[in-house]
Amino acid sequence: MERDQAEELRALQDTLYFIGGKWRVPVINSLCNGNRRFREIERSIPGITTRMLSKELKDMEMNKLVTRMVYNDTPVLVEYEPTPYCRTFGKIIQEMINWGRDHRKKVIQKK
Amino acid sequence: MERDQAEELRALQDTLYFIGGKWRVPVINSLCNGNRRFREIERSIPGITTRMLSKELKDMEMNKLVTRMVYNDTPVLVEYEPTPYCRTFGKIIQEMINWGRDHRKKVIQKK
DNA sequence: GTTACCAGTATACTGGAGTATACCAGTTAA
DNA sequence: TTAACTGGTATACTCCAGTATACTGGTAAC
């Protein structure tokens, strides 16, 4: 029981570390929604800057969450594809969306 | 579909905003695990400082996530009780624990 | 009488996440 | 030919989340 709690906390903190900053989860979500091109992803997340998206995608590529594919059509075409592993995070995202929706309802009620 | 995606993103970002920093989720988790006293919660989350826990609990009290109860026994006894609303976050936490566990397995395999 | 618990507060500091803005080289459409 | 798209990079700045450390006033055990 002591043991369990410590192990659960570690797992929890690993996930939180993975989530990291402000943009990782929205980016994963955008990819899972089928957005593939850089500007397309950028547009799907109002507020994100080019710089942050670029950083995020690079980092995710390094961590095998996304595959960057370059097609040498002219003009150059770049596509980002979420890996199957990336998609395993989808369940948590769905829970987050649901909770956020209920939360908003609750906050609006209060007013 | 456009519409949906924007609404989902908002809900998602609300949840992420709620999660906020490094310690909110571990604190909720600790409370949901039955920890009630200040030092008890503190001990259950290695690495957290008194200051951060204090801030977190104050903030959570303001947002009705926790009830601070003072018993005027001598010495003064203080207990923090998670509200039912706080507990609704438990499902996400459980998903996070599960995902973190699998993630760790995967990372260890790689080495 | 000193050590250790409780429930915190006070002060000072810093790294880096996130922002803002401008820019590049190439392509297409009006 | 000028504007607007693509997929980004470069530079500079700011702010605050989180850290570190010390302290308080009361109780209790040794």
Side-chain angles (χ1 to χ4, degrees):
Chain A
M1 187 144 151
E2 263 297 337
R3 199 56 268 204
D4 261 359
Q5 229 163 290
E7 184 269 341
E8 286 188 0
L9 178 58
R10 246 191 11 226
L12 185 55
Q13 285 180 318
D14 284 352
T15 302
L16 289 166
Y17 180 78
F18 172 84
I19 289 174
K22 194 175 176 181
W23 302 112
R24 170 67 50 96
V25 176
V27 169
I28 296 179
N29 183 242
S30 177
L31 288 165
C32 288
N33 278 341
N35 298 303
R36 292 287 175 273
R37 315 270 306 260
F38 190 90
R39 297 294 181 198
E40 190 184 8
I41 299 164
E42 192 177 22
R43 265 180 260 116
S44 77
I45 309 172
I48 199 171
T49 56
T50 311
R51 183 174 186 267
M52 289 312 286
L53 179 56
S54 172
K55 272 184 129 186
E56 210 59 60
L57 287 172
K58 247 179 215 164
D59 201 69
M60 290 175 67
E61 202 195 344
M62 272 182 24
N63 289 287
K64 310 277 185 197
L65 293 170
V66 105
T67 317
R68 184 172 183 273
M69 296 159 87
V70 183
Y71 301 96
N72 270 328
D73 298 349
T74 167
V76 147
L77 176 68
V78 179
E79 278 191 359
Y80 293 92
E81 175 92 21
T83 63
Y85 189 56
C86 182
R87 290 178 185 281
T88 66
F89 204 75
K91 199 173 169 190
I92 294 181
I93 292 184
Q94 197 50 56
E95 292 290 345
M96 284 180 164
I97 291 172
N98 294 338
W99 193 89
R101 201 126 60 191
D102 292 352
H103 183 58
R104 180 170 284 265
K105 274 183 210 152
K106 208 209 157 200
V107 170
I108 287 169
Q109 266 181 7
K110 269 191 197 166
K111 286 185 182 172
Chain B
M1 187 144 151
E2 262 300 335
R3 199 53 268 197
D4 260 0
Q5 229 163 289
E7 184 269 341
E8 286 189 359
L9 179 58
R10 246 192 11 227
L12 185 54
Q13 285 181 318
D14 284 352
T15 302
L16 288 167
Y17 180 78
F18 173 83
I19 289 175
K22 195 176 176 181
W23 301 113
R24 169 67 50 97
V25 175
V27 169
I28 295 179
N29 184 241
S30 177
L31 288 164
C32 289
N33 277 342
N35 298 303
R36 293 287 173 273
R37 314 271 306 262
F38 190 90
R39 297 295 178 196
E40 189 184 8
I41 299 164
E42 193 177 23
R43 264 181 263 117
S44 77
I45 309 173
I48 198 171
T49 56
T50 310
R51 182 173 186 268
M52 290 312 287
L53 179 56
S54 172
K55 273 185 129 184
E56 210 58 61
L57 287 171
K58 248 179 212 162
D59 201 70
M60 290 175 67
E61 202 195 345
M62 272 182 24
N63 290 288
K64 310 277 185 197
L65 293 169
V66 105
T67 318
R68 184 173 182 273
M69 297 160 85
V70 184
Y71 302 95
N72 270 327
D73 297 349
T74 166
V76 146
L77 177 67
V78 180
E79 278 190 359
Y80 293 92
E81 177 92 23
T83 62
Y85 189 56
C86 182
R87 291 178 185 281
T88 65
F89 204 75
K91 199 174 171 189
I92 293 181
I93 291 184
Q94 197 49 57
E95 292 290 344
M96 284 180 164
I97 290 172
N98 293 339
W99 193 89
R101 200 127 59 192
D102 292 351
H103 183 59
R104 180 170 285 266
K105 273 183 210 152
K106 209 210 159 200
V107 171
I108 287 170
Q109 265 180 6
K110 268 191 197 169
K111 288 184 184 172

